[in-house]
Amino acid sequence: MLFCLFFQVMLNQTSVTEFLLLGVTDIQVLQPVLFVVFLAIYIVSLAGNGAILMVVISDPRLHSPMYFFLGNLSCLDICYSTVTLPKMLENFLSTHKAISFLGCISQLHFFHFLGSTESMLLALMGFDRFVAICKPLRYPLIMSHHVCLQMAVTVWIIGFFHALLHSVMTSRLNFCGSNHINHFFCDVKPLLELACGNIELNEWLLNTVRGTIAMSSCFLTFLSYFYIIIYLFFKTPSCSMLHKALSTCVSHFLVVILFYIPGVFVYIHPATSSSMDQDQIIAIMYSVITPILNPLIYTLRNKEVKGALRGMM
């Protein structure tokens, strides 16, 4: 409630009361086809991530740190898709693709909140694999339920306040010209293109604060895997044991690659009109496609998850 009231006050600081989302394409004949495609993706994403979340909660065999973080990841992916896809689906069938100023800032906030939280959560999952493989005797102590809960709550809180910084600073800009957003959802970069006045501070915050969270999380994730690989090559006596240990990390590593490569590419180059179409394609990859691939990766490569899912059926 306080969140909504705060941005309701912000409405009085700009002459624009709503934005028009231009969407993925302006070709009318493609709109119904894209609606069906993205609706199917959304349903499969909800079903896949929802199933993983249910088995992680209900199956006692999956009550371990690795699956606790996996449940958090599935919850994030459900929310991540829901931030952008329902509005996109609505706009495919609508001639007036409008979103209110408050709705736009709220969408921006939750998109960055969930995205930054997921990047930090992936780092925690990498650390969990590092402790499990390199410190197996101390694993129950280091990754106790209490510690895991504290770490998860911490990254959710950091993600929320990181997003709040961007949403507050963006809401304070003056939008006095066009209200047409060349994107399928509200994000900082397309909104900065429409803002009047000085946006240097906003650009600095976007590049520095978001870059710090994303790159530090990425660095810590790959650092965990670097130590895992070094440890296994020098400490593992047989190839079969090496393969077994590495196989527990493959699913998470694939998810990390899918998450970071598109996201980093979007935010390392400046916002220009010519880059926005390319950004939309990449944004679809990490906000729509990745959430549907994550449950597939974990279920196809994880015997315990597959066994738990069979038990539900």
Side-chain angles (χ1 to χ4, degrees), residues 22-258:
L22 299 184
V24 179
T25 180
D26 57 357
I27 302 175
Q28 292 298 320
V29 70
L30 290 178
Q31 305 284 343
V33 178
L34 291 175
F35 173 82
V36 173
V37 170
F38 282 101
L39 177 61
I41 290 173
Y42 185 46
I43 292 172
V44 173
S45 177
L46 292 181
N49 285 292
I52 289 180
L53 189 58
M54 286 179 62
V55 297
V56 167
I57 293 172
S58 61
D59 196 321
R61 294 172 296 176
L62 303 183
H63 290 176
S64 65
M66 181 174 74
Y67 296 109
F68 169 75
F69 292 128
L70 177 58
N72 274 263
L73 180 65
S74 294
C75 181
L76 279 169
D77 283 338
I78 290 172
C79 298
Y80 209 29
S81 299
T82 304
V83 168
T84 56
L85 273 173
K87 187 62 182 176
M88 180 198 287
L89 293 171
E90 177 189 335
N91 288 341
F92 280 140
L93 303 180
S94 174
T95 55
H96 186 60
K97 308 176 190 299
I99 183 170
S100 67
F101 184 87
L102 177 60
C104 185
I105 297 299
S106 299
Q107 189 180 55
L108 179 156
H109 172 83
F110 284 103
F111 182 81
H112 282 264
F113 166 36
L114 298 166
S116 58
T117 302
E118 183 160 339
S119 70
M120 291 182 285
L121 181 66
L122 291 174
L124 289 184
M125 295 174 77
F127 177 72
D128 171 71
R129 292 298 83 209
F130 161 73
V131 177
I133 294 172
C134 302
K135 309 285 184 182
L137 297 179
R138 299 182 61 193
Y139 182 70
L141 177 64
I142 297 174
M143 301 300 293
S144 66
H145 177 73
H146 181 68
V147 171
C148 291
L149 186 61
Q150 282 185 326
M151 290 193 294
V153 170
T154 299
V155 299
W156 280 82
I157 291 174
I158 292 174
F160 178 85
F161 283 103
H162 159 255
L164 188 63
L165 176 65
H166 289 303
S167 52
V168 168
M169 293 302 297
T170 305
S171 68
R172 293 177 63 86
L173 293 172
N174 186 24
F175 300 97
C176 56
S178 172
N179 66 339
H180 290 68
I181 299 177
N182 187 24
H183 216 309
F184 63 91
F185 69 96
C186 290
D187 199 3
V188 176
K189 288 177 68 176
L191 285 172
L192 293 182
E193 286 282 295
L194 306 180
C196 306
N198 193 331
I199 59 172
E200 289 183 1
L201 178 59
N202 296 76
E203 290 179 332
W204 181 85
L205 288 172
L206 180 66
N207 296 327
T208 304
V209 179
R210 182 179 176 86
T212 300
I213 290 178
M215 297 311 295
S216 60
S217 299
C218 183
F219 171 76
L220 291 174
T221 304
F222 283 100
L223 183 64
S224 295
Y225 279 103
F226 172 77
Y227 278 113
I228 288 172
I229 292 171
I230 295 298
Y231 176 86
L232 290 175
F233 273 108
F234 284 97
K235 298 290 185 178
T236 307
S238 67
C239 291
S240 60
M241 290 179 65
L242 176 65
H243 179 267
K244 183 179 179 180
L246 287 175
S247 66
T248 65
C249 304
V250 170
S251 298
H252 175 251
F253 191 73
L254 289 173
V255 170
V256 169
I257 296 297
L258 286 171

Side-chain angles (χ1 to χ4, degrees), residues 284-299:
I284 288 174
M285 287 186 62
Y286 68 77
S287 65
V288 178
I289 305 300
T290 300
I292 197 177
L293 291 178
N294 287 351
L296 290 176
I297 291 170
Y298 276 105
T299 53

